[in-house]
């Protein structure tokens, strides 16, 4: 993907705040601090279009970014961070779930996991839930710069086993080295192309 333009559109917590469902949309989900916002910045070739932070729980709203005027990237708040105030946490689940289950133009969810960690129960539940809703998923394994080649292979098999994935359902990535950037775009574009041919729900 040759990104010529990327712009922040809006933030919100519920459908009334979301932009019109006119463009194909790709949402980025995963644990807090896993690197969702960093991945989006690399995809759009911008250092800080999306705010990133070493403090988990930075992204607290659903943020919409338009790319080349014809695609929307959506940064979702992360799950699994214990220190977020309970009142905020109570809102996040329903907020993300409502977005994922009702957004008609959602074409792909990129689920991001850390190469150094065993996927958590929340990662597993998220994946099962996306599959149950028939939402096409790409799993991106990020922070690959943090491990050796050997460790990468070892962790990759733990991740595929824990999540019940085949190897071709996931892509390796690093926001530091930019490894995997082009592949992630290619995979997203392929998923969007096939979901446009065969929109979810067309067989109901
Ligand atoms: N070494 C390395 N660090 C990364 C990578 N991706 C993200 N980080 C760092 O991880 C931290 C969290 O990154 P974010 O992109 O803000 O993570 P997030 O998933 O958006 O976090 P929340 O919005 O809090 O859910 C930051 O300090 C980033 O610099 C990567 O590929 N390699
Ligand atoms: Mg973020």
């Amino acid at each position: 993907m040759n990104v010529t333009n990327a712009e922040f559109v809006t933030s919100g917590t519920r459908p009334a705040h979301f932009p019109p469902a006119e463009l194909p949309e790709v949402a980025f989900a995963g644990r807090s601090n896993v690197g969702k916002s960093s991945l989006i910045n690399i995809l759009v070739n911008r250092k800080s279009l999306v705010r990133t932070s070493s403090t988990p729980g930075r992204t607290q709203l659903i943020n919409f970014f338009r790319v080349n005027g014809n695609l929307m990237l959506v940064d979702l708040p992360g799950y699994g961070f214990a220190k977020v105030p309970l009142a905020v946490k109570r809102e996040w689940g329903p907020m993300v779930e409502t977005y994922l289950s009702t957004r008609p133009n959602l074409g792909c969810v990129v689920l991001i996991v850390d190469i150094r960690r065993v996927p958590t129960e929340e990662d597993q539940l998220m994946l099962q839930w996306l599959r149950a809703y028939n939402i096409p998923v790409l799993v991106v394994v990020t922070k690959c710069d943090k491990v050796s080649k050997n460790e990468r292979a070892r962790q990759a098999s733990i991740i595929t086993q824990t999540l019940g994935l085949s190897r071709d359902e996931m892509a390796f990535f690093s926001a530091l080295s930019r490894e995997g950037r082009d592949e992630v775009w290619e995979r997203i574009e392929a998923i969007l192309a096939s979901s446009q041919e065969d929109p979810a729900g067309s067989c109901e």
Side-chain angles (χ1 to χ4, degrees):
M1 167 82 79
N2 178 24
V3 176
T4 53
N5 179 268
E7 58 195 336
F8 171 72
V9 177
T10 190
S11 307
T13 57
R14 53 197 166 84
H17 306 147
F18 302 162
E22 286 162 349
L23 299 175
E25 222 156 80
V26 180
F28 294 77
R31 269 179 73 83
S32 189
N33 212 235
V34 73
K36 298 173 293 298
S37 302
S38 303
L39 170 60
I40 297 176
N41 282 330
I42 296 290
L43 289 176
V44 301
N45 297 324
R46 292 274 291 272
K47 275 222 165 67
S48 51
L49 177 67
V50 189
R51 205 174 304 158
T52 64
S53 167
S54 53
T55 316
R58 159 54 69 194
T59 308
Q60 302 196 351
L61 301 170
I62 298 179
N63 295 308
F64 295 80
F65 302 89
R66 189 164 39 227
V67 175
N68 291 355
N70 61 15
L71 176 68
M72 203 74 89
L73 301 185
V74 181
D75 193 16
L76 298 172
Y79 46 79
F81 181 58
K83 286 188 191 150
V84 169
L86 197 61
V88 177
K89 253 205 255 182
R90 278 209 194 99
E91 281 176 26
W92 283 11
M95 165 167 64
V96 171
E97 205 167 310
T98 301
Y99 167 81
L100 291 171
S101 61
T102 62
R103 193 72 175 155
N105 53 332
L106 178 62
C108 173
V109 169
V110 177
L111 178 62
I112 302 152
V113 297
D114 188 321
I115 186 77
R116 299 165 300 171
R117 295 179 195 276
V118 177
T120 63
E121 203 174 314
E122 280 169 307
D123 294 322
Q124 296 175 43
L125 286 173
M126 176 59 93
L127 185 62
Q128 282 166 16
W129 194 86
L130 292 168
R131 286 190 168 141
Y133 272 94
N134 256 333
I135 300 169
V137 185
L138 170 66
V139 175
V140 168
V141 182
T142 193
K143 305 197 183 179
C144 283
D145 56 278
K146 300 251 194 195
V147 300
S148 68
K149 278 260 146 64
N150 282 342
E151 211 174 334
R152 177 192 297 212
R154 233 183 354 258
Q155 287 298 115
S157 66
I158 292 173
I159 292 167
T160 48
Q161 273 174 30
T162 316
L163 292 177
L165 291 176
S166 67
R167 211 42 180 260
D168 62 355
E169 287 175 290
M170 71 179 202
F172 294 108
F173 177 78
S174 162
L176 206 75
S177 70
R178 301 171 64 95
E179 173 194 347
R181 179 205 179 259
D182 294 349
E183 190 194 341
V184 170
W185 263 133
E186 279 160 23
R187 304 278 285 270
I188 289 173
E189 288 180 279
I191 290 171
L192 291 179
S194 66
S195 67
Q196 272 158 14
E197 274 164 27
D198 177 23
S202 62
C203 55
E204 278 172 20

